Amino acid sequence: MPVVRALNKVVRQALQVPGCGCQPLAVAVRNISFSPRQVTSGSDASFHSVSFSETDHPKVLITGGLGQLGVGLAKLLRKRFGKNNVILSDIRKPPSNVFHSGPFIYSDILDYKNLREIVVNNRITWLVHYSALLSAVGEANVPLARAVNITGLHNILDIAAEHGLRLFVPSTIGAFGPTSPRNPTPDLCIQRPRTIYGVSKVHAELMGEYYHHRYGLDFRCLRYPGIISADSQPGGGTTDYAVQIFHDAVKTGKFECNLKPDTRLPMMYIDDCLRATLEVMEAPAETLSMRTYNINAMSFTPEELVQEVQKQLPDLQVTYDVDLVRQAIADSWPMNFDDSNARRDWGWKHDYDLPELVQTMFNYIGSDSCIARAN
Ligand SMILES: NC(=O)c1ccc[n+]([C@@H]2O[C@H](COP(=O)([O-])OP(=O)(O)OC[C@H]3O[C@@H](n4cnc5c(N)ncnc54)[C@H](O)[C@@H]3O)[C@@H](O)[C@H]2O)c1
Ligand SMILES: C[C@@H](O)[C@H](N)C(=O)O
């Protein structure tokens, strides 16, 4: 039981420190290299020290990398750190262009030992944890959402703490609920979401911050708005309509929206989202006065998006067939996001507002079809 005795000593020392005692405890735990999981299992505590020179590129693992955001993030990070320093992982089979664009590995975040093996064998130093079930699919399968979003997160936190990783976990506008201030929603306010997705994301924010204070984990978290991308499909969220409209408009000239025309939600173009992620991961720790930040770009309703799209495609026909589950979720989420802390602390600044977003989406999704229809 030397592990338990050593931990008890650390805890006793920490509790003697006035105030929260966070820093001394974090240092002590780091020095003896215990992960929380190793301590509780009591059976396989190992003593290792991973050190990397400041000039080394990080070695990045992205979980859930085949969703809407992961492939784009891998592309951005590979440009910066080198192709072989960024490993995409998922439980799905990658399309051939993704498979051939850089390292890909199978990883189920519910398999703790497999995760640990990947981190050890590849000398991972940064972990970007994208695996999740989003808001609408989460409501359709609560047990799976609970397993992936909560149990999976626990695995990730323990692996990251055990191996001294810098850990990024995205949160979302969905981490707020009907009792939060909605216009605008600040970083710190009531968070009582009514979806399993939102509950799991508040849990992730709190657990990450707890591990930061308790074990010195370098946890960084951004609350993303609804993300809009042209070359990747959304994974079953409430904001998906704002991606679908572009594809349907170009393909059929018609769009059926599943939210009411006046439903206002914060949104962001994917390039801004991925750049923000890299920026907060590279930000010097001393600039981060918080570990979980709102980030914002624009905020619009379906009606406003349709108007902007119709500037390019005047013949677009739009109907509304409201999905009650998604509508109830959207009605409980922020309408506008206050991201002033991110702007102040690490210089966050978005590039895309609504007109640039629409123009860029059409540039990607076939400007030829737009022009043909507009004429
Ligand atoms: N896309 C958005 O609008 C948005 C907004 C806010 C926050 N986020 C967050 O960003 C992250 C990435 O979002 P996304 O849109 O790419 O999600 P997505 O749903 O498109 O992709 C999630 C990926 O997780 C994978 N996954 C599911 N179970 C897994 C498991 N057991 N092990 C490993 N992987 C598993 C899926 O196969 C999928 O490829 C998520 O955490 C999400 O909550 C996204
Ligand atoms: C907002 C975000 O977390 C996701 N796009 C969803 O709608 O569930």
Side-chain angles (χ1 to χ4, degrees):
M1 298 289 281
V3 175
V4 174
R5 268 204 302 279
L7 180 70
N8 285 342
K9 192 173 163 209
V10 170
V11 170
R12 273 200 306 277
Q13 282 168 353
L15 292 177
Q16 284 162 6
V17 177
C20 76
C22 304
Q23 199 52 34
L25 182 57
V27 169
V29 170
R30 270 288 170 85
N31 285 347
I32 57 175
S33 295
F34 293 148
S35 80
R37 187 167 302 233
Q38 285 172 320
V39 169
T40 43
S41 75
S43 59
D44 70 349
S46 60
F47 295 81
H48 55 253
S49 66
V50 182
S51 64
F52 295 93
S53 126
E54 287 294 309
T55 53
D56 279 347
H57 282 321
K59 195 85 200 277
V60 188
L61 174 68
I62 304 173
T63 69
L66 296 184
Q68 187 189 3
L69 307 184
V71 173
L73 184 69
K75 198 169 161 194
L76 180 71
L77 298 183
R78 283 174 181 156
K79 216 183 263 174
R80 186 153 184 84
F81 302 130
K83 180 167 135 178
N84 292 324
N85 286 322
V86 180
I87 302 175
L88 265 180
S89 72
D90 207 302
I91 53 174
R92 294 195 274 155
K93 194 170 164 186
S96 106
N97 63 324
V98 172
F99 187 69
H100 291 107
S101 66
F104 176 87
I105 207 164
Y106 171 88
S107 171
D108 181 345
I109 57 156
L110 296 174
D111 183 344
Y112 178 78
K113 283 197 170 167
N114 173 244
L115 262 180
R116 181 201 256 172
E117 192 179 318
I118 292 169
V119 166
V120 168
N121 286 350
N122 295 285
R123 293 171 51 80
I124 297 299
T125 57
W126 284 15
L127 207 168
V128 176
H129 177 47
Y130 269 173
S131 307
L133 261 65
L134 302 192
S135 58
V137 293
E139 288 312 290
N141 192 343
V142 173
L144 184 62
R146 199 180 69 171
V148 173
N149 296 9
I150 298 180
T151 309
L153 173 90
H154 293 168
N155 288 342
I156 294 289
L157 284 171
D158 285 352
I159 296 279
E162 180 184 338
H163 296 282
L165 309 184
R166 183 168 296 179
L167 173 64
F168 179 82
V169 180
S171 186
T172 161
I173 49 174
F176 297 93
T179 50
S180 307
R182 294 181 62 218
N183 194 5
T185 305
D187 279 306
L188 296 176
C189 63
I190 292 171
Q191 285 179 269
R192 287 291 180 276
R194 297 261 175 94
T195 58
I196 186 64
Y197 178 59
V199 168
S200 68
K201 288 295 186 178
V202 177
H203 178 75
E205 295 175 5
L206 292 175
M207 286 295 285
E209 291 183 7
Y210 175 74
Y211 270 51
H212 171 65
H213 293 301
R214 182 76 161 73
Y215 302 113
L217 173 66
D218 191 352
F219 171 78
R220 300 172 185 219
C221 174
L222 297 178
R223 295 193 191 102
Y224 294 162
I227 305 302
I228 299 166
S229 57
D231 55 1
S232 57
Q233 289 295 324
T238 302
T239 57
D240 292 9
Y241 89 87
V243 178
Q244 200 56 44
I245 185 173
F246 292 97
H247 295 281
D248 290 1
V250 168
K251 249 191 247 156
T252 66
K254 292 184 182 146
F255 174 61
E256 187 171 86
C257 184
N258 56 20
L259 293 182
K260 288 185 195 162
D262 60 351
T263 310
R264 180 171 300 284
L265 291 168
M267 301 278 186
M268 180 176 283
Y269 183 57
I270 188 167
D271 286 11
D272 275 340
C273 164
L274 302 180
R275 182 171 53 80
T277 305
L278 176 58
E279 285 176 7
V280 79
M281 283 298 271
E282 291 194 312
E286 61 274 16
T287 63
L288 303 176
S289 67
M290 312 159 69
R291 288 288 162 159
T292 302
Y293 289 93
N294 294 349
I295 51 164
N296 195 31
M298 65 193 98
S299 178
F300 56 72
T301 64
E303 212 164 30
E304 290 165 356
L305 178 59
V306 167
Q307 274 170 20
E308 197 62 39
V309 169
Q310 282 174 335
K311 287 183 187 166
Q312 310 265 347
L313 279 179
D315 293 339
L316 172 68
Q317 292 171 29
V318 178
T319 52
Y320 292 87
D321 182 15
V322 173
D323 172 327
L324 294 178
V325 174
R326 282 185 167 83
Q327 187 64 48
I329 294 173
D331 287 343
S332 74
W333 282 2
M335 299 163 82
N336 269 300
F337 233 16
D338 174 354
D339 64 353
S340 48
N341 289 317
R343 288 175 193 264
R344 184 201 59 221
D345 284 2
W346 46 276
W348 164 240
K349 195 171 173 298
H350 69 279
D351 281 339
Y352 292 81
D353 283 305
L354 183 55
E356 296 83 42
L357 166 84
V358 171
Q359 188 60 59
T360 308
M361 288 295 285
F362 279 127
N363 289 346
Y364 270 101
I365 308 179
S367 47
D368 290 350
S369 333
C370 299
I371 293 159
R373 280 174 200 286
N375 290 333

